[in-house]
Amino acid sequence: ELVPVRCRIPDLLIKLGKDQQWLADKTGKSRQKISDYCHMRTVMNIRTAALIAYFLSCKIDDLYIWEWR
């Protein structure tokens, strides 16, 4: 099974020079929810992943590091 093992949102935000609050404002999600995604407390659904990927200018697959288990 392919599973997400680490969220790359923090890395992608640094690359863009942005922070979690910026992403929260752009997506309409709370800053706490963005933090939950970043720390893997919650795995986002496909619609949220597509929205976040759009604002981070990446592919949905780029939001996580994936491993086979």
Side-chain angles (χ1 to χ4, degrees):
E1 176 181 31
L2 189 61
V3 295
V5 294
R6 189 171 77 77
C7 182
R8 293 193 60 240
I9 290 174
D11 302 333
L12 297 165
L13 285 170
I14 289 169
K15 186 176 176 183
L16 293 175
K18 305 293 185 184
D19 61 14
Q20 289 182 18
Q21 186 61 56
W22 173 85
L23 186 58
D25 294 341
K26 288 291 188 183
T27 61
K29 303 288 180 187
S30 69
R31 195 191 111 11
Q32 181 60 52
K33 189 54 118 174
I34 299 297
S35 178
D36 289 345
Y37 297 144
C38 290
H39 293 95
M40 298 290 292
R41 290 186 289 263
T42 304
V43 176
M44 64 194 90
N45 65 40
I46 192 71
R47 288 183 182 170
T48 299
L51 182 65
I52 289 174
Y54 172 79
F55 286 112
L56 296 180
S57 301
C58 68
K59 297 178 183 177
I60 292 172
D61 286 350
D62 296 335
L63 296 177
Y64 292 101
I65 292 177
W66 300 86
E67 285 185 6
W68 286 99
R69 293 199 176 160

